[in-house]
Amino acid sequence: MRIVMDTSVLVAGLRSRLGASAALLKEIADNRVELAASPALFLEYEAVLKREEHGLPLHYVDGFLAELAVCIVPVEVRFVWRPQLPDADDEMVLEAAINGQAEAIVTHNRRDFERVAQRFGIEVFSPAEMLEQIRRKGMEP
C-alpha cells in the first residue's frame, strides 16, 4: 500500500515511540508500506521537524531524514490542484498523494482532507486506522 504522510504524523512518531505514529514509521522502515513524498513535502518535513517547539535534536532529525529518504517513493508533481484545502500547507500532502498515486493519506487532521481526497479516490486515515488497514491487508491470502 502506498501512502502519503502528513507532517503531524512524523512529529508524533518522533516525539513518542509508543504511539501509532511511531509504529507506522516502523512499518515504513520495514518496507510493509510505501511512503510517497514530493521534494516540496520532504522539505516541509525537515522544516517542521527542526522547529524548536518539538524539542528534537538537529542531529537526530538529520539522521532520521536521511533514513527516511531511502524509504521514500519520489513523487514528481506534474499537476497542481490548488486550492483544494483550507490550510495551504496541506496542499503539498494532497498533491503528493494525487501525483504519486497513493491509496491513502495518513494524518491527525482527517476533517480537512476527507471530502477532497475522496474526489481523487484517496482514503484518509489516522495513524491507528492505517495500522489496522496494514494489518488487515497483511492477513489476507
Side-chain angles (χ1 to χ4, degrees), residues 36-103:
S38 65
L41 182 56
F42 190 83
L43 290 173
E44 176 74 5
Y45 289 166
E46 179 180 30
V48 171
L49 289 173
K50 288 186 174 181
R51 289 181 187 162
E52 283 186 36
E53 67 196 67
H54 299 305
L56 300 168
L58 295 181
H59 70 279
Y60 178 74
V61 171
D62 287 338
F64 168 77
L65 290 172
E67 290 179 28
L68 186 65
V70 173
C71 300
I72 286 180
V73 174
V75 173
E76 181 180 341
V77 176
R78 294 176 185 242
F79 297 101
V80 179
W81 299 93
R82 296 175 190 212
Q84 296 285 327
L85 301 167
D87 184 350
D89 290 337
D90 290 339
E91 298 286 355
M92 284 185 281
V93 175
L94 180 64
E95 288 172 356
I98 295 167
N99 285 277
Q101 300 176 336
E103 296 171 63

Side-chain angles (χ1 to χ4, degrees), residues 19-21 23-25 27 126-136:
S21 297
L24 186 54
L25 290 174
E27 295 291 319
S126 69
E129 292 167 337
M130 187 74 248
L131 285 173
E132 182 59 35
Q133 287 291 316
I134 293 166
R135 291 185 179 124
R136 203 174 293 146

Side-chain angles (χ1 to χ4, degrees), residues 28-44:
I28 292 165
D30 292 342
N31 294 312
R32 286 191 281 270
V33 64
E34 291 182 328
L35 177 63
S38 65
L41 182 56
F42 190 83
L43 290 173
E44 176 74 5

Side-chain angles (χ1 to χ4, degrees), residues 9-21:
V9 179
L10 283 177
V11 171
L14 291 181
R15 291 184 74 178
S16 172
R17 294 181 181 164
L18 302 176
S21 297

